[in-house]
Amino acid sequence: MHRVNLGIVGGGTVGGGVFQAIARNGGLMASRLGVELRVVRVAVQDLAKTRPVRIPAALLTTDWRSLVDDPAVNLVGEFIGGTTTAREILLHAFSRGKSVITANKALLSAHGEELFAAAQANGANLYYEASVAGGIPIVKVLREGLIGNQFTRIYGIVNGTCNYILSRMKLEGAEFADVLADAQKLGYAEAEPSLDIDGHDAAHKTGILASLAHGFWVNPKEIYVEGIRSVSRKDIQFAGQMGYTIKLLGIVKKSTTAPAGSKRFAPVQVSVYPALVPNTHVLASVNGVFNAILVRGDVVGDTLYYGRGAGQDATASAVLSDLADAALDLKCGIQNRVPPFVPHERAGAVTPIGDVVSPYYVRLSVVDKPGTLAAITAIFGRAKIGISSVRQPEGTEGDSVPLILMIHDATNADLTKALAKIAKLAAVKAPPIMLRVESFE
Ligand code: HSE
């Protein structure tokens, strides 16, 4: 029987989880694949540290280079996170012709293009199923299951921490800061939770999906990112009264038309922001730490993937899937049987957020006196922005009242300009709140 000798760099939650999962199901996988899977070395920072998953001392080393260079290791797993040492590990492994499995979305987001090129140049492969949405095999879906489709839309709830916080805020009418504190106590959110709640983790994942779907590596700086810090209990409540649930969405939308002057390629919206999702849409009912991704293909139509996006076991399951691919590649002697990333659209471009068109929810705090609404609607009218409904919910906020306007399709640039003018009206007492509404068209 063929054998894969895996060297794992990182003995923490992910590395330990992979070690445990191989111990549990390695035999089953061997029967299915005809390849024996063994962990032969594990590189850690501190040999003496107590780990959640016990790894035999004989396998441990503190020297990741010697692990990668070890002739007995024919596949490397990088599970340390971060972008500096992790990048070095991958490049070093490729330079030795060894393929790598990683779960590192930040690394791929920042250095994907370089790493895929290095893997290919050295006849190695890079497997990264665990980098997006944990246990959901979404990379396989895009690269294999739906390979015959153009991807017109991808909508993802890809950050479990944010989804947990927003779900509880809605269910309990709780404030953001209180639920965040709880999420930290439960270990869902990091002590420094910015990567999750400011949308960066979701942006890494959304960028990877967009790149795979559209064949050019999306520059993370071009992804428009808004997190959930500014989503208030009040907005969740008002949106709920109108039949919407607020979700942090990763959105990848292919425009139907190319920009003026370009006959070739219509740009792609790649963004992360909290959006109002109609309660009738299936993504509105994805709650707690779960992830879900809707992929629309031009041949297949809408498809939906749901599961645990984070945690030791979900991540380990995705790594096992990569391990199976790597095992078959090694068995067949074909390192790029399924290439990690094929840059097939060199002229690809990301739509600037200012050009993105959508409907909106706008909440204003205004003085409750005649003429206020007329002054606001006049500004929207002059900007040729249509209003689909206006509500003044019960209740006051000091000397002002809330005013909710639902806005027809407008560009982000036009709406932002109009709101800047509205903010200057004497009757408007707080900066306007704007959230995009997702119609899933
Ligand atoms: N922190 C992420 C989440 C999991 O909450 O979904 C790792 O990407």
Side-chain angles (χ1 to χ4, degrees):
M1 197 187 262
H2 282 268
R3 199 160 106 184
V4 169
N5 288 331
L6 177 68
I8 293 178
V9 185
T13 306
V14 178
V18 170
F19 185 84
Q20 197 170 42
I22 293 173
R24 176 171 159 180
N25 282 349
L28 171 71
M29 289 180 69
S31 329
R32 288 177 173 165
L33 299 165
V35 183
E36 189 188 343
L37 308 171
R38 278 214 193 152
V39 179
V40 291
R41 289 185 80 181
V42 180
V44 294
Q45 263 184 328
D46 178 359
L47 294 177
K49 191 173 163 186
T50 314
R51 281 163 238 293
V53 172
R54 208 191 74 77
I55 299 170
L59 299 185
L60 295 180
T61 172
T62 52
D63 181 2
W64 65 259
R65 271 195 184 78
S66 80
L67 175 148
V68 173
D69 290 341
D70 187 339
V73 168
N74 58 1
L75 180 68
V76 175
E78 177 279 304
F79 306 124
I80 60 167
T83 57
T84 308
T85 308
R87 175 173 163 272
E88 272 179 61
I89 293 168
L90 266 67
L91 291 174
H92 189 73
F94 297 147
S95 75
R96 300 290 185 272
K98 294 185 183 181
S99 295
V100 179
I101 300 175
T102 184
N104 193 333
K105 63 226 103 201
L107 176 69
L108 292 179
S109 173
H111 303 293
E113 214 160 17
E114 176 198 19
L115 295 169
F116 292 125
Q120 194 176 12
N122 289 285
N125 209 331
L126 173 53
Y127 308 89
Y128 53 101
E129 185 59 73
S131 68
V132 184
I136 303 175
I138 192 67
V139 172
K140 235 182 203 326
V141 164
L142 295 179
R143 293 199 319 183
E144 298 180 48
L146 301 184
I147 193 168
N149 286 262
Q150 297 208 36
F151 299 108
T152 53
R153 299 283 186 271
I154 299 176
Y155 301 99
I157 294 175
V158 288
N159 186 271
T161 304
C162 288
N163 204 46
Y164 171 83
I165 293 173
L166 292 174
S167 302
R168 277 200 51 194
M169 284 174 74
K170 177 163 186 184
L171 196 70
E172 299 164 22
E175 281 295 358
F176 172 78
D178 299 334
V179 184
L180 172 61
D182 252 11
Q184 283 171 314
K185 263 189 241 148
L186 290 166
Y188 292 143
E190 302 294 327
E192 172 36 62
S194 168
L195 201 60
D196 288 319
I197 63 176
D198 291 323
H200 305 299
D201 173 80
H204 295 150
K205 296 167 181 167
T206 304
I208 293 171
L209 295 181
S211 304
L212 266 177
H214 293 288
F216 64 98
W217 202 255
V218 171
N219 179 348
K221 294 194 182 93
E222 292 185 322
I223 303 176
Y224 177 78
V225 188
E226 252 179 55
I228 63 165
R229 259 183 222 273
S230 56
V231 176
S232 70
R233 183 180 60 82
K234 223 181 268 178
D235 292 314
I236 290 181
Q237 183 195 338
F238 291 151
Q241 288 166 3
M242 292 184 291
Y244 294 97
T245 298
I246 298 178
K247 293 288 182 196
L248 184 75
L249 292 184
I251 298 180
V252 182
K253 267 191 210 181
K254 173 101 180 200
S255 305
T256 45
T257 50
S262 156
K263 291 209 175 64
R264 265 201 77 214
F265 197 80
V268 184
Q269 176 191 348
V270 187
S271 346
V272 171
Y273 47 70
L276 271 67
V277 173
N279 285 340
T280 48
H281 194 276
V282 64
L283 288 182
S285 52
V286 173
N287 285 314
V289 290
F290 278 88
N291 282 195
I293 303 171
L294 187 153
V295 179
R296 183 174 299 163
D298 64 339
V299 180
V300 71
D302 282 1
T303 61
L304 184 73
Y305 310 89
Y306 171 87
R308 286 189 188 278
Q312 194 172 51
D313 291 343
T315 309
S317 170
V319 171
L320 289 184
S321 154
D322 279 345
L323 197 48
D325 274 347
L328 292 176
D329 285 350
L330 286 166
K331 183 178 167 184
C332 304
I334 308 168
Q335 281 305 290
N336 275 296
R337 194 174 49 96
V338 180
F341 171 67
V342 180
H344 57 80
E345 190 43 80
R346 296 271 177 204
V350 173
T351 315
I353 189 68
D355 294 350
V356 169
V357 173
S358 78
Y360 302 86
Y361 159 102
V362 170
R363 175 166 62 83
L364 302 171
S365 289
V366 300
V367 176
D368 193 10
K369 64 173 191 198
T372 299
L373 189 57
I376 293 165
T377 55
I379 292 175
F380 281 127
R382 280 197 292 279
K384 300 196 168 31
I385 294 173
I387 299 168
S388 57
S389 74
V390 179
R391 300 177 71 234
Q392 186 181 322
E394 293 297 316
T396 54
E397 301 159 342
D399 61 348
S400 54
V401 293
L403 190 65
I404 313 289
L405 297 108
M406 298 302 281
I407 306 291
H408 281 304
D409 270 355
T411 66
N412 274 242
D414 286 348
L415 188 82
T416 307
K417 257 189 250 162
L419 289 181
K421 288 182 187 155
I422 288 168
K424 288 190 188 140
L425 294 174
V428 174
K429 293 297 179 196
I433 303 293
M434 176 272 266
L435 291 163
R436 297 163 186 87
V437 178
E438 187 47 64
S439 57
F440 298 94
E441 281 165 2

